[in-house]
């Protein structure tokens, strides 16, 4: 590549809050343009300081991601409420986007065999407040899941990464000659596992961030000729320039031209298992997880306010599922995961916070359960108390940034918890002590 790739990001919030997230970014001096291929995606045009240090990034309202990497989830295109398996999920870029597309009533299972990378995946999904994504750690080529049990699979396997050479110049030196052969072997094993797991009519999107034909078109032909999968032609999304496939028979696959697209080199193919098109949830029988004892779970939709002492959160905002303790942590377990995933698959839900004898001590980052500012809250009020809960509305991003460096701000003395908003945009919960509110991540 001769031209640097444009920086890009996704907005991660309910649709009604997107304009507020954009305003928060602009208030900190960032400029950006909408991407033509998705309403969630933006291309950065002005970056006064690293975007990763922005308030929007800190509170999980945006996710920095190369624009090419955004394409595989859009190619898989899960409908709202769909169940999706991401076989090689860390760091969670595609997993998170799939969870957005599937919506709060859908399910995304992110598998990551490497435990260090698994921690990164879980932290990213946690920061983004994606309660409908669960994680597991099994060998991707031998997942303990029934044959034909998925209609949507994302497979972004380990690859040589040649498409990232502009950002990682060492990849061409590290992955040359025979060093690439083990990667090709792993990719074929993962493709075979995806073919086993697909229901008739189900689809897998295979993608890599390499420009190596042996890891791209050659693998697609292997899946077609040896695994019996069909190539599903993909329509080129706007905003990119695509090169012609490097092997015949691969029409309908997408090879991003990095220089002319201002993005990483990327390869994307959609493969279908022959047979009648199935429906998510009807792809085959699945043994559900063993039920938890009644004393250790509460239906999320009936969780009483007393379970969240002094939290100021609204448990009715949780999707369908249960809340259960594992150790001293309360996890949200989505109903679709409990119904679909077999007992042999060891998985983890979303960590809501600490579980104790007095109820749940939720994470300060749990903005997904923060109610919108009360209708009774006076317009332009910076401090407003409803019972024990203070609603703090801050307009200056510098004041919010100060909180994150250890400063505290005035809060009503009778409040025990403060909900921090920026112009009505929920950000986080603050701890209140002695009439002062402060950021205290537990």
């Amino acid at each position: 590549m001769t031209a640097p790739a444009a920086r890009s990001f996704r907005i991660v919030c309910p649709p009604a809050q997107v304009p507020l997230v954009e305003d928060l970014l602009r208030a900190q001096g960032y400029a950006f343009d909408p991407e033509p291929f998705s309403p969630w995606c933006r291309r950065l045009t002005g970056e006064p300081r690293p975007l990763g240090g922005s308030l929007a990034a800190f509170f999980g309202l945006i996710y920095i991601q190369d624009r090419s990497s955004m394409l595989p989830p859009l190619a898989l295109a899960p409908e709202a409420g769909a169940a999706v398996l991401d076989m090689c999920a860390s760091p969670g870029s595609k997993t998170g986007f799939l969870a957005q597309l599937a919506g709060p009533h859908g399910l995304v299972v992110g598998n990551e065999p490497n435990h260090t990378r698994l921690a990164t995946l879980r932290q990213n999904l946690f920061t983004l407040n994606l309660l409908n994504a669960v994680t597991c750690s099994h060998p991707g080529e031998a997942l303990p899941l029934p044959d034909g049990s998925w209609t949507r699979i994302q497979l972004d396997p380990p690859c040589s990464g040649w498409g990232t050479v502009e950002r990682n110049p060492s990849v061409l030196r590290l992955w040359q000659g025979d060093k690439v052969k083990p990667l090709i072997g792993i990719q074929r094993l993962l493709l075979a596992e995806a073919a086993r797991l697909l229901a008739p009519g189900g689809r897998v999107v295979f993608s890599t961030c390499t420009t190596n034909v042996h890891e791209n078109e050659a693998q697609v032909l292997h899946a077609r000729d040896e695994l019996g999968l069909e190539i599903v032609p993909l329509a080129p999304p706007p905003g990119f320039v695509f090169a012609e496939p490097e092997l015949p028979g691969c029409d309908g696959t997408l090879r991003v031209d990095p220089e002319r697209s201002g993005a990483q080199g990327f390869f994307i193919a959609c493969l279908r298992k022959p047979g009648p098109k199935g429906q998510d949830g009807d792809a085959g029988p699945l043994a559900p997880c063993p039920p938890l004892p009644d004393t250790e779970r509460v239906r999320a939709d009936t969780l009483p306010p007393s379970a969240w002492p002094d939290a100021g959160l609204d448990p009715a905002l949780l999707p369908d599922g249960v809340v259960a303790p594992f150790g001293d942590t309360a996890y949200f377990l989505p109903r679709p995961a409990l119904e679909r995933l077999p007992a042999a698959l060891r998985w983890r839900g979303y960590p809501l916070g600490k579980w104790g004898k007095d109820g749940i001590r939720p994470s300060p980052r749990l903005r997904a359960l923060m109610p919108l500012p009360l209708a009774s809250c006076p317009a332009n009020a910076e401090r407003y108390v409803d019972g024990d809960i203070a609603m703090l509305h801050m307009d200056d991003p510098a004041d919010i940034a100060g909180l994150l460096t250890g400063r505290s701000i005035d809060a009503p003395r009778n409040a025990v918890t403060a909900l921090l908003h920026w112009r009505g945009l929920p950000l986080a919960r603050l701890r209140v002590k002695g009439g002062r509110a402060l950021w205290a991540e537990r």
Side-chain angles (χ1 to χ4, degrees), residues 79-136:
E79 60 273 23
V84 185
L85 172 65
D86 189 348
M87 295 176 64
C88 304
S90 189
S93 307
K94 300 173 190 66
T95 318
F97 201 179
L98 289 166
Q100 275 187 268
L101 297 172
H105 303 294
L107 170 69
V108 175
V109 178
N111 179 67
E112 177 50 55
N114 182 287
H115 282 195
T116 300
R117 288 172 57 82
L118 177 68
T120 301
L121 168 68
R122 286 175 168 169
Q123 182 60 47
N124 283 333
L125 296 175
F126 169 73
T127 301
L128 296 174
N129 275 231
L130 294 170
L131 279 68
N132 63 328
V134 306
T135 56
C136 59

Side-chain angles (χ1 to χ4, degrees), residues 145-153 192-202 273 278-279 281-286 340:
L145 292 165
D147 295 356
S149 54
W150 295 85
T151 59
R152 296 287 183 272
I153 296 177
E193 180 71 348
R196 179 185 75 82
L197 294 174
L198 277 178
K273 190 168 190 175
Q279 297 293 326
D282 298 325
L286 288 172
R340 292 185 59 94

Side-chain angles (χ1 to χ4, degrees), residues 58-78:
F58 179 85
F59 289 114
L61 296 163
I62 65 168
Y63 185 88
I64 301 169
Q65 183 176 5
D66 185 85
R67 59 200 306 263
S68 291
S69 175
M70 299 171 179
L71 296 182
L74 294 172
L76 190 58

Side-chain angles (χ1 to χ4, degrees), residues 11-23:
I11 298 177
V12 187
C13 67
Q17 296 176 10
V18 169
L20 290 171
V21 175
E22 292 180 316
D23 288 345

Side-chain angles (χ1 to χ4, degrees), residues 75-396:
L76 190 58
E79 60 273 23
V84 185
L85 172 65
D86 189 348
M87 295 176 64
C88 304
S90 189
S93 307
K94 300 173 190 66
T95 318
F97 201 179
L98 289 166
Q100 275 187 268
L101 297 172
H105 303 294
L107 170 69
V108 175
V109 178
N111 179 67
E112 177 50 55
N114 182 287
H115 282 195
T116 300
R117 288 172 57 82
L118 177 68
T120 301
L121 168 68
R122 286 175 168 169
Q123 182 60 47
N124 283 333
L125 296 175
F126 169 73
T127 301
L128 296 174
N129 275 231
L130 294 170
L131 279 68
N132 63 328
V134 306
T135 56
C136 59
S137 184
H138 294 271
E141 66 276 16
L143 288 166
L145 292 165
D147 295 356
S149 54
W150 295 85
T151 59
R152 296 287 183 272
I153 296 177
Q154 174 74 57
L155 174 54
D156 193 80
C159 72
S160 59
W162 289 4
T164 67
V165 66
E166 188 263 345
R167 190 182 67 200
N168 303 308
S170 63
V171 296
L172 290 179
R173 175 176 51 82
L174 291 173
W175 299 104
Q176 285 289 344
D178 290 343
K179 292 183 179 179
V180 180
K181 286 185 178 179
L183 291 176
I184 294 173
I186 292 171
Q187 291 162 7
R188 293 194 172 185
L189 290 174
L190 290 167
L191 275 167
E193 180 71 348
R196 179 185 75 82
L197 294 174
L198 277 178
R203 298 184 179 193
V204 55
V205 165
F206 175 83
S207 61
T208 73
C209 59
T210 187
T211 54
N212 181 3
V213 63
H214 301 292
E215 300 175 76
N216 293 336
E217 288 91 346
Q219 299 292 45
V220 170
L221 295 180
H222 169 79
R224 184 194 68 184
D225 299 337
E226 303 298 327
L227 302 177
L229 300 181
E230 303 169 343
I231 299 174
V232 178
L234 293 170
F240 289 86
V241 177
F242 297 96
E244 291 295 321
E246 296 202 9
L247 292 178
C250 291
D251 293 342
T253 61
L254 301 177
R255 174 182 279 268
V256 174
D257 184 309
E259 288 189 32
R260 293 186 290 169
S261 297
Q264 290 180 359
F266 231 83
F267 178 82
I268 307 148
C270 184
L271 302 164
R272 178 181 180 272
K273 190 168 190 175
K277 183 177 180 181
Q279 297 293 326
D280 285 309
D282 298 325
L286 288 172
C289 291
L292 296 165
D294 289 339
T295 56
E296 293 189 355
R297 69 173 183 177
V298 181
R299 278 187 62 90
D301 57 1
T302 60
L303 201 64
S306 59
W308 309 84
D310 306 327
L313 302 181
D314 184 358
L317 296 175
L318 282 168
D320 188 20
V322 305
V323 176
F326 292 88
D328 64 350
T329 302
Y331 288 92
F332 174 69
L333 311 179
R335 178 70 55 188
L338 292 168
E339 293 175 348
R340 292 185 59 94
L341 301 179
L345 189 83
R346 296 178 59 85
W347 58 277
R348 198 183 88 168
Y350 186 91
L352 297 171
K354 296 297 183 182
W355 181 284
K357 61 181 181 179
D358 297 326
I360 300 170
R361 239 187 345 172
S363 162
R365 289 184 174 272
L366 197 55
R367 59 178 170 81
L369 301 190
M370 284 177 59
L372 294 176
L374 299 173
S376 57
C377 177
N380 303 320
E382 292 186 1
R383 310 283 189 274
Y384 178 76
V385 181
D386 180 68
D388 294 332
I389 311 303
M391 308 287 279
L392 301 184
H393 297 258
M394 304 184 73
D395 189 68
D396 189 343

